[in-house]
Amino acid sequence: YSQLDPFPEGFLWSGSTSAYQVEGATLEDGKGPSVVDLRTQFPEGTSDYKVASDHYHRFREDVALFGEMGLKAYRFSVSWSRVIPDGDGEVNPQGIEFYRNLIGELRSKGIEPIVTLYHFDLPAALHERGGWSNRETIDAFERYARILFEEFGGEVKYWLGINEQNMMILHGDAIGTSGEDHDDSDPHKDLYQQNHHMMLAQARAFNALHEMLPEAKIGPAPNIAIVYAATSKPEDMLAADSYNAIRNWLYLDMAVHGRYNSTAWAYLRAHGWEPKMEDGDLELLASAKADYVAFNYYSSMTVQADHRSMTETKSSAGDQQLGASDPGVQEPADNPNLEKTAFGWEIDTVGFRITFRQIWERYHLPLLVTENGLGAPDTLEADGSVHDGYRIDYLRSHIHAMQEAITDGVEVMGYSPWSAIDLISTHSGVTKRYGFIYVDRDEFDLRTLDRFKKDSFYWYQRVIEANGLPD
Ligand code: BG6
């Protein structure tokens, strides 16, 4: 294009976090443990989540910085076990108070809260009763969602259901949140049963919101990465199409159209992994409707046809591609056309634009980017500055691709990069930083926990001011 369309008025320039990665105070003020707090094994050299960024104690300072950066919105998740310590029993008033104060603080700075109901941190007490394998967790989730809608519905217009449900299923044990609940004799079968239950739970939450708060809006938040074929061989193209169905469309077809994607369902049947259904399940799924499609995007994926038998295994192309290896169907492949981040994740801005187009053409709902960003080890200079030009480059090129997608005709309502402030990564500790705001701590030394504005903070401030990329 010789000229790009502008970002729409009221575009939600935002930043994202999740409760367990940013809050800390894991067992304070009545909070019950979540599966994340049960975790005892961490990749070597990485910290746990006990203090995280200490946002629980410093949220006022953090929100003031978000306000200074100019954020129009802030996406965060509520910790289910902070609000209901055992997942389905008594409500913890101090948990409600924390989120009420946070939301109040955001509103006072003119920042729109975007609230994720569930971001990987299932209450430990529910996990002990079978977690998502147990249908009772569906009831507990609906009750929890209704409590949040009741408590915060007056102040919160934008809601998200389950964060990266597809990653929880495809990564299984790797995320460590649902993996331990499964029956080891056939982990996939159990994971797809859990998946079915999560879909029902999310459908109940969508319906509850629409019934209780007709003005509010809700959508799913899977990780969507467009899948390329490694070559133009039709078999590779077929593998890419299959993996697109299993990885992406299964989740969005359900959230938008309320039905199982046919290719994905055929895949589940072929493996004997189709979930058990109860009467009324399909009707419930069909009745729930998303108001927008929120999605997390870090990079594209590339796969090729796989001719291994089910019992053979091969090495995967890195943690970003984890879950893409499926003997007899597809295996991940490196994409030689893409550069990688310091942590080996491929960078693909064109893939971002294609992802926008594909989601839009399939669903015709407004799109909200709920995560996108660059994880890198930053350096705090003696004068308190952090020169993260690499992050600015990543974000700039993705914002440009998003604007191209808008010019292609895609309706995009907001952009919420990961992360508003430094936090603990899912697998690589605090060393893999994503934030606009530096938190002074390292893996095991908590140092001052003071906040410092990175170069990307000032740059994003200018983007927001200009409602688009500054000249
Ligand atoms: C998404 C998650 O998978 O990616 C976040 O929703 C996560 O919780 C983010 O932190 C980046 O991944 P990582 O492993 O680099 O932290």
Side-chain angles (χ1 to χ4, degrees):
Y1 295 117
S2 56
Q3 210 184 343
L4 296 179
D5 289 354
F7 283 88
E9 262 235 4
F11 190 79
L12 295 171
W13 296 103
S14 173
S16 290
T17 63
S18 89
Y20 80 92
Q21 294 176 277
V22 77
E23 284 179 7
T26 47
L27 295 176
E28 250 175 75
D29 292 344
K31 178 180 173 296
S34 78
V35 287
V36 179
D37 305 316
L38 295 186
R39 211 191 280 178
T40 49
Q41 301 288 323
F42 292 88
E44 209 187 321
T46 64
S47 62
D48 58 26
Y49 298 98
K50 287 197 184 79
V51 176
S53 306
D54 200 31
H55 175 71
Y56 185 77
H57 298 115
R58 297 169 194 243
F59 71 93
R60 290 185 203 280
E61 178 186 352
D62 293 342
V63 173
L65 286 164
F66 300 161
E68 185 184 334
M69 189 158 48
L71 290 191
K72 306 281 185 212
Y74 170 55
R75 174 207 177 211
F76 62 95
S77 76
V78 171
S79 156
W80 184 347
S81 64
R82 193 179 290 290
V83 169
I84 309 173
D86 68 358
D88 66 353
E90 297 273 297
V91 173
N92 172 26
Q94 288 164 290
I96 298 286
E97 193 192 327
F98 170 68
Y99 292 109
R100 190 178 303 295
N101 289 339
L102 172 61
I103 291 166
E105 202 71 18
L106 290 166
R107 284 243 159 265
S108 76
K109 305 271 185 258
I111 302 172
E112 191 78 52
I114 302 176
V115 180
T116 313
L117 297 177
Y118 171 53
H119 192 123
F120 301 158
D121 51 356
L122 187 72
L126 295 181
H127 165 80
E128 275 147 26
R129 283 157 38 198
W132 286 109
S133 300
N134 181 350
R135 279 186 78 103
E136 285 173 15
T137 301
I138 303 169
D139 300 328
F141 184 78
E142 183 185 357
R143 174 172 176 266
Y144 159 63
R146 283 181 179 273
I147 289 168
L148 298 191
F149 300 155
E150 178 76 38
E151 293 286 345
F152 308 123
E155 301 296 318
V156 177
K157 185 167 161 214
Y158 298 107
W159 298 84
L160 300 163
I162 299 177
N163 179 70
E164 294 202 352
Q165 184 179 326
N166 55 343
M167 294 299 102
M168 283 193 271
I169 300 306
L170 291 164
H171 287 229
D173 291 329
I175 285 185
T177 45
S178 52
E180 289 164 42
D181 291 331
H182 62 61
D183 162 8
D184 280 342
S185 61
D186 197 347
H188 284 97
K189 188 165 176 60
D190 195 60
L191 280 167
Y192 279 104
Q193 188 67 47
Q194 294 187 25
N195 188 47
H196 183 66
H197 294 162
M198 283 191 230
M199 284 170 165
L200 292 166
Q202 184 166 264
R204 293 243 209 116
F206 284 9
N207 285 346
L209 182 96
H210 292 135
E211 167 205 314
M212 295 171 67
L213 303 166
E215 302 293 305
K217 297 189 183 307
I218 192 161
N223 178 309
I224 301 297
I226 209 61
V227 183
Y228 301 131
T231 74
S232 55
K233 275 190 219 149
E235 292 76 17
D236 288 343
M237 193 58 208
L238 183 69
D241 189 62
S242 299
Y243 194 54
N244 258 313
I246 299 156
R247 189 195 189 284
N248 298 317
W249 312 137
L250 168 59
Y251 299 88
L252 289 182
D253 285 2
M254 184 57 79
V256 178
H257 297 312
R259 58 172 142 75
Y260 272 94
N261 172 280
S262 306
T263 308
W265 185 257
Y267 163 89
L268 295 182
R269 276 188 41 208
H271 286 78
W273 296 340
E274 70 272 42
K276 267 194 275 130
M277 303 246 183
E278 289 194 0
D279 285 351
D281 281 4
L282 290 176
E283 290 73 12
L284 168 62
L285 294 170
S287 70
K289 295 283 179 277
D291 299 299
Y292 42 71
V293 173
F295 68 104
N296 300 346
Y297 175 91
Y298 290 89
S299 77
S300 55
M301 302 267 316
T302 305
V303 301
Q304 58 198 20
D306 185 298
H307 302 294
R308 292 169 292 170
S309 72
M310 283 297 289
T311 49
E312 289 173 273
T313 50
K314 273 189 197 168
S315 64
S316 101
D319 73 328
Q320 169 218 344
Q321 308 268 27
L322 208 68
S325 184
D326 200 343
V329 184
Q330 86 280 320
E331 62 172 329
D334 265 321
N335 188 332
N337 307 299
L338 300 175
E339 287 186 14
K340 291 185 173 154
T341 71
F343 284 84
W345 288 23
E346 288 166 350
I347 303 176
D348 186 4
T349 53
V350 178
F352 194 31
R353 178 176 174 186
I354 302 170
T355 303
F356 275 115
R357 286 188 188 187
Q358 292 208 344
I359 302 176
W360 171 251
E361 292 297 355
R362 282 181 80 92
Y363 305 111
H364 279 272
L365 286 179
L367 306 191
L368 173 63
V369 180
T370 35
E371 289 181 32
N372 173 239
L374 178 77
D378 297 328
T379 307
L380 178 66
E381 307 292 342
D383 64 357
S385 58
V386 178
H387 303 305
D388 59 342
Y390 36 87
R391 181 166 297 107
I392 295 174
D393 290 344
Y394 180 100
L395 294 170
R396 183 195 291 113
S397 60
H398 282 81
I399 291 173
H400 185 77
M402 175 164 61
Q403 196 172 0
E404 288 178 319
I406 289 172
T407 313
D408 292 333
V410 179
E411 188 180 336
V412 188
M413 56 186 277
Y415 178 66
S416 196
W418 190 261
S419 48
I421 182 167
D422 282 350
L423 39 68
I424 315 283
S425 137
T426 50
H427 289 103
S428 312
V430 75
T431 308
K432 189 183 189 185
R433 294 172 184 271
Y434 282 90
F436 295 107
I437 298 163
Y438 186 94
V439 175
D440 180 33
R441 61 161 289 179
D442 68 15
E443 299 296 347
F444 304 108
D445 181 353
L446 293 175
R447 293 209 276 259
T448 64
L449 285 162
D450 284 349
R451 279 54 174 147
F452 295 90
K453 297 170 221 168
K454 302 184 192 179
D455 289 355
S456 58
F457 176 102
Y458 299 105
W459 174 81
Y460 197 44
Q461 189 179 49
R462 297 216 315 280
V463 171
I464 299 172
E465 242 167 50
N467 195 33
L469 291 173
D471 299 328

